Amino acid sequence: NATGVMKNPPDFIHLAIGCVIMAFAFSTIYSKWARGIHSISQGAQFGLWVGIMVGFGSGIIDYATSNLLDFQGALVNGLIYVVFNIIMGVLAAVIYKATSK
């Protein structure tokens, strides 16, 4: 495993920019996927699939191509991504439902 790869402190400007880009992309893709039906279960389902794609798909590809995590770490990280994206999906659904007429 690699050591000393995390920045301390993080580059907060680029972190914020990355979060805004991720939120905009996630929200835009969700709005197209939901097709006007904004429920908590729809948002959670969308977040689940994004989490599986990013967390497990990309995570296992990263495991196969780098030494940042062992396989168990890649799986735990994938699970964290799934939970995080389910929460994001639910929030997106709630916000879209509240702002749509």
Side-chain angles (χ1 to χ4, degrees):
N1 292 341
T3 58
V5 294
M6 298 299 293
K7 290 184 179 183
N8 189 13
D11 180 347
F12 288 106
I13 291 173
H14 288 100
L15 178 61
I17 292 169
C19 287
V20 168
I21 291 169
M22 186 172 185
F24 181 75
F26 185 94
S27 175
T28 301
I29 296 167
Y30 166 78
S31 71
K32 304 294 183 194
W33 180 82
R35 288 177 255 139
I37 302 170
H38 306 295
S39 67
I40 289 175
S41 64
Q42 284 281 88
Q45 185 180 27
F46 179 76
L48 172 71
W49 286 112
V50 170
I52 289 170
M53 178 182 69
V54 174
F56 289 113
S58 292
I60 293 172
I61 291 170
D62 288 345
Y63 166 75
T65 59
S66 70
N67 290 316
L68 293 174
L69 293 172
D70 61 12
F71 191 69
Q72 182 178 356
L75 293 179
V76 170
N77 204 35
L79 184 60
I80 291 168
Y81 268 87
V82 168
V83 171
F84 176 74
N85 280 282
I86 288 172
I87 293 167
M88 282 190 1
V90 168
L91 290 174
V94 168
I95 291 168
Y96 269 93
K97 187 173 187 171
T99 59
S100 64
K101 294 182 182 190

